[in-house]
Amino acid sequence: MKRTFLEEPVFCFTADIDWAAEEHIDDMLSLFKSYGVPLTPFVTHESAVLQSYYSTPELRQRVGLHPNFRSGSTHGREVSDICENVQRLWPEAKGFRSHSFFESSPVLEEMFRRGLVYDSNTCLWLQPNCLPLRHFSGLIRFPVFWEDDVHFLKCDSFELSS
């Protein structure tokens, strides 16, 4: 019997790499690996650690792009330049999430035109029943349920109670 999204929740763990140092990327990947939890990293820069860890064709498709479309971006000035520069980092990427969830119709259309099939660029902060959405550009949207910057902005504690 085929499982559908409505029958049972699916949780996906993602991390924006944000120019992290190699040793920190390695620590994060090791932690997820130790628990047997798959991770989708969104890359901003070249990383030998990511290249090594995601070395098979199947794993390489799990890595997404993390372009910066904001003013002063080191990825470029124009949408097409930024897309081209981040795609060079990981040509096998099938998805992306922009810095600060930045988006516009031209960005989404350009990413789809370049062969990306999904984004994770919509933050539905703690909203129950998050489901994939279809965008008019052709992209499938996988909303984010929790995000650390929003957590900090809301001044929520990171203390876990038992």
Side-chain angles (χ1 to χ4, degrees), residues 43-46 51 65 75 85-91:
V43 299
T44 51
H45 65 287
E46 290 187 19
Q51 290 287 344
L65 307 174
H75 288 151
N85 288 332
V86 295
Q87 274 195 299
R88 274 193 218 120
L89 296 172
W90 209 274

Side-chain angles (χ1 to χ4, degrees), residues 7-8 18 33 38 41-42 52 61 63 80 92 98-100 109 111 135 140 148 152 157-158 161:
E7 291 175 1
E8 187 177 323
D18 286 345
K33 186 175 183 178
F42 290 92
S52 174
Q61 290 185 28
V63 176
S80 60
E92 300 88 348
S98 302
H99 282 276
S100 304
E109 290 170 335
M111 292 302 241
H135 189 264
I140 301 297
D148 60 346
F152 282 119
S157 170
F158 276 97
S161 58

Side-chain angles (χ1 to χ4, degrees), residues 80-116:
S80 60
D81 295 335
I82 294 168
C83 293
E84 186 175 322
N85 288 332
V86 295
Q87 274 195 299
R88 274 193 218 120
L89 296 172
W90 209 274
E92 300 88 348
K94 300 293 182 199
F96 76 98
R97 175 168 47 234
S98 302
H99 282 276
S100 304
F101 297 109
F102 179 93
E103 68 179 60
S104 66
S105 295
V107 165
L108 299 174
E109 290 170 335
E110 180 70 12
M111 292 302 241
F112 184 73
R113 186 187 72 72
R114 291 174 169 273
L116 282 90

Side-chain angles (χ1 to χ4, degrees), residues 53-74:
Y53 189 85
Y54 293 90
S55 59
T56 67
E58 179 186 332
L59 288 175
R60 291 190 66 75
Q61 290 185 28
R62 214 180 264 175
V63 176
L65 307 174
H66 192 44
N68 183 2
F69 292 102
R70 297 175 63 185
S71 178
S73 171
T74 57

Side-chain angles (χ1 to χ4, degrees), residues 125 146-153 155-161:
W125 177 253
W146 181 88
E147 201 267 343
D148 60 346
D149 283 349
V150 174
H151 191 92
F152 282 119
L153 286 171
C155 300
D156 285 344
S157 170
F158 276 97
E159 198 169 307
L160 299 175
S161 58

